[in-house]
Amino acid sequence: MKLKTLFAACLLSTAATAQTASDPIIMIVNGQSVPRSEFEYSYNKNNSEGVIDKKSVKDYVDLFINYKLKVFAALDAHYDTLQSYKDEFAQYRDQQVRPLMVTDEDIEKEARKIYDRTAESIGPDGLVKCAHILLRAKQQAPQEEWDAVRVRIDSVHQALLNGADFAELAKKVSQDGSASAGGELPYVQRGQLIKEFEDALFALKDSGDISPVVQTAFGYHVIKLLGRKQFEPFEYHHDDIIKFIEKRNLRDNIAEDKVNAMIAADSTLTKAQIMEQKAAELSQNDQELKYLIQEYHDGLLLYEISNRLVWDKAAKDEEGLARYFKKHKKNYQWDSPRYKGMAYHVKEQADVQAVADCVKNLPFDKWAEALRTTFNADSVIRIRVEKGIFKEGDNALIDSIVFKKDTIVKHLKDYPIDAVYGKILKKAPEDYTDVRGLVVADLQEELEKAWVAELRRKYTWTIDDAVLKTVNDHE
């Protein structure tokens, strides 16, 4: 999903657009007109600040045409009819459209609903602020432990009644996380606290009043009322509620409610139809949105066809990779030797030879599994292994034993015996699997070039050079 999104976000194509004086046709590809604004959008997006390999407008034309040709190939192959494609495109499109369906009036209504629900939950008792001191007792502790804690809280309570400073005493003796703040808690409403605590708190009348000792499942408390207030009016909380709506992305919920209301009003409509219609309506007046939606549409198509004809095709064609490597072997020669093998660490001397014997008759790509099942199959890890193709500097143990370099080798704790097994490849890899990643990339590039050449033979295009010269240089 992430790869598809990234790929889609880097590319753009749009449906045919009628030529206007302010947005002339810059090219026609496979009979489809491309307005200048579409080309500019794509060019500017892919050559923005931070792009390393920026292209001139002239150089970008070929890339853009190749992209359009690939999209036409995907449409000709009917990839746009795949249900998986339809679902994924609809998901991307709707992510852009849903928030734009929500008006300022909708946001205000939602803000008022949130306020009213909150005010109702607070009720006539309003909000209270308090501080408390807690001495803890374990719920399953014997009665003697509870009795001992009760004696201590009684002495704390008496000290408070005698005028001791509540905040200072809370800092010294309270076992609650609020102790460092003098036991002070934020404003609370009914329903937010454990019942015994809440009943005692709301029974207090005036600021400064101190409760009797209160027992809860956590231990014993003494509570001090610091203040009361009623919930402020809507205008007081308005801006904070709006920020809450945006932070929680509640626009999507509002849009979903609007869609459901439309369906309820007309049962012949489906959610998909509504979203498609809204996308078309909004795109008429928002060129940026129009091109962004088309970007998802075409980018996902291009990902699908490129994956099938180039990327995945090359990566999975083992015979093709082997043939390509054999034909271009000289391209993969090294400027220094490599060690194809492993550095390993064992607990017992006997395992040094056992490890070598385990893999000596196996293909290189089978080593890891053989070692795992033979030596590390259960909870006891007998060996530690680093397997690969190493050049000088990659691994200290191999540098020391194989390349005869004066280097410091760190021994692994609990695996005191170090060894290596493998062979030196002096000038080049043995087969394509030694440099598989490079061979895959090169084969993909070859398939890509052949595909583009085929598409350029199949489809036609024309460019209006006069309009091309005005890209990013017009009123």
Side-chain angles (χ1 to χ4, degrees):
M1 174 72 75
K2 288 183 180 178
L3 178 58
K4 293 182 182 179
T5 306
L6 179 62
F7 191 82
C10 291
L11 299 162
L12 172 67
S13 170
T14 65
T17 305
Q19 182 175 12
T20 65
S22 61
D23 192 15
I25 298 303
I26 195 169
M27 65 181 71
I28 298 175
V29 183
N30 193 38
Q32 184 183 77
S33 299
V34 179
R36 180 178 61 195
S37 61
E38 176 188 348
F39 180 85
E40 284 181 335
Y41 181 96
S42 180
Y43 174 78
N44 293 334
K45 185 166 188 177
N46 290 288
N47 291 275
S48 60
E49 290 299 323
V51 173
I52 297 174
D53 186 22
K54 288 187 178 182
K55 305 292 184 184
S56 67
V57 171
K58 184 178 179 181
D59 290 339
Y60 191 71
V61 168
D62 276 347
L63 296 175
F64 185 81
I65 289 173
N66 290 346
Y67 167 69
K68 298 288 283 184
L69 297 180
K70 292 173 186 177
V71 172
F72 281 121
L75 291 170
D76 286 348
H78 306 295
Y79 289 159
D80 58 327
T81 64
L82 297 173
Q83 192 60 48
S84 58
Y85 166 80
K86 291 180 179 180
D87 292 344
E88 194 162 2
F89 168 64
Q91 176 186 342
Y92 288 136
R93 179 200 63 201
D94 294 354
Q95 284 175 353
Q96 301 302 318
V97 172
R98 273 196 302 269
L100 299 177
M101 294 172 61
V102 179
T103 65
D104 290 344
E105 182 181 359
D106 293 327
I107 294 293
E108 289 298 321
K109 286 182 179 178
E110 183 66 18
R112 173 60 76 170
K113 282 168 58 178
I114 292 172
Y115 174 84
D116 289 344
R117 286 198 301 267
T118 305
E120 182 179 358
S121 70
I122 291 173
D125 288 334
L127 299 162
V128 296
K129 188 174 183 62
C130 72
H132 79 127
I133 295 172
L134 167 65
L135 296 185
R136 293 186 177 275
K138 294 179 181 177
Q139 198 165 6
Q140 304 302 323
Q143 187 61 44
E144 293 82 2
E145 183 176 323
W146 279 87
D147 291 342
V149 176
R150 178 61 194 241
V151 170
R152 290 170 53 212
I153 198 70
D154 283 342
S155 65
V156 169
H157 186 247
Q158 189 59 49
L160 292 170
L161 295 180
N162 291 338
D165 184 274
F166 195 98
E168 289 303 315
L169 197 52
K171 291 176 182 178
K172 291 179 181 178
V173 304
S174 181
Q175 296 169 332
D176 181 66
S178 64
S180 61
E184 190 171 322
L185 300 176
Y187 274 100
V188 295
Q189 66 189 65
R190 280 196 179 275
Q192 288 185 306
L193 303 170
I194 194 167
K195 185 178 186 304
E196 298 87 349
F197 189 104
E198 184 178 285
D199 289 345
L201 171 59
F202 278 88
L204 299 175
K205 301 300 183 185
D206 300 315
S207 293
D209 284 355
I210 294 175
S211 73
V213 172
V214 179
Q215 181 178 353
T216 72
F218 302 104
Y220 291 104
H221 310 253
V222 179
I223 308 167
K224 180 180 180 180
L225 180 64
L226 300 180
R228 288 179 177 273
K229 68 175 183 180
Q230 292 301 312
F231 192 44
E232 296 87 353
F234 174 67
E235 291 71 23
Y236 180 88
H237 292 285
H238 176 271
D239 291 349
D240 287 335
I241 297 175
I242 298 299
K243 290 177 184 176
F244 171 82
I245 290 172
E246 300 297 349
K247 185 176 181 180
R248 295 295 183 90
N249 201 25
L250 296 184
R251 283 179 178 268
D252 274 356
N253 296 348
I254 299 170
E256 192 72 17
D257 290 343
K258 294 184 79 169
V259 171
N260 291 335
M262 293 178 194
I263 295 173
D266 184 352
S267 59
T268 65
L269 289 174
T270 66
K271 180 180 177 181
Q273 289 172 331
I274 292 171
M275 295 308 297
E276 187 173 355
Q277 178 183 347
K278 286 297 179 182
E281 290 175 1
L282 292 166
S283 295
Q284 285 183 350
N285 300 315
D286 187 340
Q287 189 177 81
E288 191 86 7
L289 176 65
K290 177 182 72 173
Y291 288 156
L292 181 60
I293 291 175
Q294 193 65 39
E295 179 178 318
Y296 288 139
H297 177 277
D298 293 350
L300 290 171
L301 281 176
L302 184 51
Y303 175 88
E304 188 66 37
I305 193 169
S306 296
N307 197 45
R308 294 190 184 203
L309 299 186
V310 177
W311 305 332
D312 210 35
K313 181 178 180 181
K316 292 181 177 179
D317 184 5
E318 301 299 333
E319 291 183 2
L321 291 168
R323 287 194 303 271
Y324 186 91
F325 174 78
K326 184 177 180 180
K327 183 177 179 181
H328 301 90
K329 191 171 183 178
K330 64 180 184 299
N331 295 341
Y332 302 101
Q333 290 185 345
W334 294 319
D335 55 4
S336 62
R338 301 292 194 270
Y339 185 70
K340 181 178 181 179
M342 60 181 169
Y344 60 102
H345 317 273
V346 299
K347 297 174 180 285
E348 300 175 5
Q349 186 65 42
D351 277 342
V352 172
Q353 188 60 44
V355 167
D357 291 341
C358 177
V359 301
K360 66 181 179 181
N361 294 320
L362 294 177
F364 190 59
D365 62 352
K366 304 295 184 183
W367 286 17
E369 180 62 16
L371 292 171
R372 186 190 67 79
T373 55
T374 303
F375 297 97
N376 295 340
D378 55 24
S379 59
V380 178
I381 307 299
R382 286 171 57 187
I383 65 172
R384 296 288 188 184
V385 180
E386 297 97 48
K387 168 185 170 289
I389 297 178
F390 303 89
K391 64 179 183 298
E392 188 178 318
D394 286 346
N395 183 282
L397 183 59
I398 291 173
D399 284 351
S400 175
I401 297 177
V402 177
F403 296 123
K404 309 302 182 185
K405 297 297 178 180
D406 184 14
T407 186
I408 298 174
V409 177
K410 267 191 177 179
H411 300 290
L412 294 186
K413 183 182 178 183
D414 300 327
Y415 299 86
I417 305 170
D418 302 320
V420 299
Y421 182 80
K423 58 184 172 181
I424 292 179
L425 305 178
K426 290 186 176 181
K427 293 184 178 180
E430 287 185 306
D431 58 49
Y432 78 95
T433 59
D434 295 340
V435 283
R436 193 178 191 283
L438 295 175
V439 179
V440 168
D442 290 344
L443 181 56
Q444 287 173 338
E445 184 178 354
E446 183 177 86
L447 291 175
E448 170 85 11
K449 288 178 179 178
W451 182 35
V452 169
E454 178 188 346
L455 294 176
R456 282 179 169 259
R457 289 191 295 269
K458 180 178 181 180
Y459 298 107
T460 62
W461 69 93
T462 59
I463 301 170
D464 190 323
D465 290 327
V467 177
L468 186 65
K469 291 177 181 177
T470 67
V471 168
N472 291 334
D473 187 21
H474 56 85
E475 293 295 329

